[in-house]
Amino acid sequence: MIDYRITSKEGYDDKIGDLVTMLEYTRATILEDIEDLTPEDLDFLPDESSNSIGALLLHIAAIEFVHQVFSFENRDLNNEELLKWDTALSLGAKARAEIKNKPLEYYTKILTEIRERTLTLFKTQQDSWLYEEKPWGKMNNYWYWFHVMEDELNHRGQIRVIKRLLENHQ
Amino acid sequence: MIDYRITSKEGYDDKIGDLVTMLEYTRATILEDIEDLTPEDLDFLPDESSNSIGALLLHIAAIEFVHQVFSFENRDLNNEELLKWDTALSLGAKARAEIKNKPLEYYTKILTEIRERTLTLFKTQQDSWLYEEKPWGKMNNYWYWFHVMEDELNHRGQIRVIKRLLENHQ
């Protein structure tokens, strides 16, 4: 039975633990949504301007990675990182052309590796870190990680619509 | 310029203020997504098993209402409330048949009224209330309001897919 409580989380400071609970719940629901998808399902496009579920999964991983860099390293992506993640970050035509023919494990492995680093990094911080503001704008670390969650939940909704269109298409 | 910070919010206890910031940001992004939609757009169905954007908006309002009842009144819906909200809560065929031919203002008025009550009720509580558990299961008020947010963000993602399918359909 799932525990529908947000409570303190061992190994994390108070509010960081709340955030981790929310992020982990969000991720668990996505992994459940996609657990049976084949490579063909992951590449399915409801229409020519859509994103595939595979591209959305890689986008979710990319967004988490860039927010690690913004929040824990206080910098922008370097050229090497930008080259690696640009397609998944931008989605659209380039993602439709390049992100395909991969099994589910390709995506879940990347998601898991990036998430493990997030959790390790969160353990090194206190709640006061959440309120540290960035020199480049009205942004704090708390908002960055809220945004990782809200972007992922938004894409979960898209994935669910695409899955239903896929079922009706078959 | 939007303020991308989660900080303490006047009139609310500490963590309740964080939650309110997240809920209000979520709502603002949805209202922006739908601001130009006509009654026909709100009724558009990408396929015969889809939900319309209008039905999803009423569902978002319904979910917030039932979580007010669960969390602030510690009870389930009564028969009158269930009769009023059942279609929007359940979505699917009944919602496709009954929720339509309404202008945008019909939906935004209901969303706004329910949200105003939520904010008023949040102002009456301290953070300790977030951790109060329910007699009917492993649930606390904090999770309930996280769930209102995560469900709304999920539906925002669905609304964005439906909007794009609508644009390609026209």
Side-chain angles (χ1 to χ4, degrees):
Chain A
M1 181 187 174
I2 299 181
D3 193 340
Y4 293 108
R5 290 178 298 190
I6 294 177
T7 55
S8 60
K9 209 162 166 70
E10 207 185 320
Y12 303 93
D13 205 6
D14 185 34
K15 286 192 176 186
I16 292 176
D18 297 343
L19 253 180
V20 167
T21 303
M22 295 180 192
L23 285 161
E24 289 287 87
Y25 176 86
T26 298
R27 179 60 52 83
T29 56
I30 291 222
L31 293 177
E32 197 181 318
D33 283 336
I34 60 169
E35 66 186 358
D36 295 324
L37 299 184
T38 66
E40 292 71 31
D41 296 340
L42 290 161
D43 293 348
F44 172 72
L45 296 169
D47 71 11
E48 60 193 22
S49 72
S50 290
N51 293 304
S52 70
I53 293 176
L56 291 174
L57 293 174
L58 207 57
H59 176 77
I60 288 168
I63 288 289
E64 182 163 347
F65 174 75
V66 302
H67 285 74
Q68 285 178 359
V69 173
F70 294 163
S71 67
F72 291 107
E73 303 180 33
N74 289 303
R75 63 174 179 89
D76 207 342
L77 297 192
N78 60 36
N79 283 342
E80 192 188 343
E81 290 161 342
L82 198 58
L83 203 65
K84 179 175 177 184
W85 292 108
D86 183 46
T87 303
L89 287 171
S90 307
L91 293 170
K94 207 152 168 262
R96 278 189 291 280
E98 294 176 17
I99 305 171
K100 55 185 171 186
N101 301 320
K102 304 283 191 196
L104 181 60
E105 294 68 32
Y106 168 79
Y107 301 101
T108 54
K109 185 166 178 284
I110 295 171
L111 284 163
T112 303
E113 282 171 2
I114 292 176
R115 174 53 52 92
E116 281 174 2
R117 182 162 182 254
T118 298
L119 298 181
T120 301
L121 289 166
F122 271 139
K123 284 180 182 156
T124 67
Q125 301 295 342
Q126 300 297 304
D127 285 352
S128 57
W129 171 85
L130 292 173
Y131 298 97
E132 282 179 16
E133 297 190 12
K134 300 302 173 189
W136 54 77
K138 283 192 169 182
M139 295 166 166
N140 64 23
N141 291 320
Y142 204 167
W143 195 85
Y144 273 141
W145 287 96
F146 161 67
H147 179 60
V148 169
M149 173 174 67
E150 65 109 15
D151 194 65
E152 183 160 335
L153 286 163
N154 183 78
H155 293 304
R156 187 186 76 192
Q158 298 183 317
I159 287 170
R160 288 182 180 174
V161 171
I162 297 169
K163 257 185 79 176
R164 214 201 31 251
L165 293 170
L166 170 66
E167 282 157 19
N168 293 345
H169 177 81
Q170 283 168 334
Chain B
M1 183 184 171
I2 298 179
D3 193 340
Y4 293 107
R5 293 178 297 191
I6 294 177
T7 56
S8 60
K9 209 164 165 69
E10 207 185 318
Y12 302 94
D13 205 5
D14 185 34
K15 287 191 176 185
I16 292 177
D18 298 342
L19 252 181
V20 167
T21 303
M22 296 180 192
L23 285 161
E24 289 286 87
Y25 177 86
T26 298
R27 178 60 53 84
T29 56
I30 291 223
L31 294 178
E32 198 180 319
D33 283 337
I34 61 168
E35 64 187 359
D36 295 325
L37 298 184
T38 66
E40 292 70 32
D41 296 339
L42 290 161
D43 292 349
F44 172 72
L45 296 169
D47 72 9
E48 60 194 20
S49 72
S50 290
N51 293 303
S52 69
I53 293 176
L56 291 174
L57 293 174
L58 207 58
H59 176 77
I60 288 168
I63 288 289
E64 182 164 346
F65 174 75
V66 302
H67 285 75
Q68 285 178 359
V69 172
F70 293 163
S71 67
F72 292 106
E73 302 180 33
N74 289 303
R75 63 173 179 89
D76 207 343
L77 296 192
N78 60 37
N79 283 342
E80 191 187 343
E81 291 162 341
L82 197 59
L83 203 65
K84 178 175 177 184
W85 292 107
D86 182 45
T87 303
L89 288 171
S90 308
L91 292 171
K94 207 152 167 260
R96 277 189 292 279
E98 294 175 18
I99 304 171
K100 56 184 170 186
N101 300 321
K102 304 283 191 197
L104 181 60
E105 295 67 33
Y106 168 80
Y107 300 102
T108 54
K109 185 166 180 282
I110 294 170
L111 284 163
T112 303
E113 282 171 3
I114 292 175
R115 173 53 52 92
E116 282 175 0
R117 182 163 181 253
T118 297
L119 298 182
T120 301
L121 289 165
F122 270 140
K123 284 180 183 158
T124 67
Q125 300 296 342
Q126 300 296 304
D127 285 352
S128 57
W129 171 84
L130 292 173
Y131 298 96
E132 282 178 17
E133 296 190 14
K134 300 302 173 189
W136 55 78
K138 285 192 168 183
M139 294 168 168
N140 63 23
N141 291 320
Y142 205 167
W143 195 87
Y144 273 142
W145 286 96
F146 162 67
H147 179 59
V148 169
M149 174 174 68
E150 66 109 18
D151 194 65
E152 184 160 335
L153 286 164
N154 183 79
H155 293 305
R156 188 186 74 191
Q158 298 183 316
I159 287 170
R160 288 184 181 174
V161 171
I162 297 168
K163 258 185 80 176
R164 212 201 32 251
L165 294 170
L166 170 67
E167 282 158 18
N168 293 346
H169 177 81
Q170 284 168 334

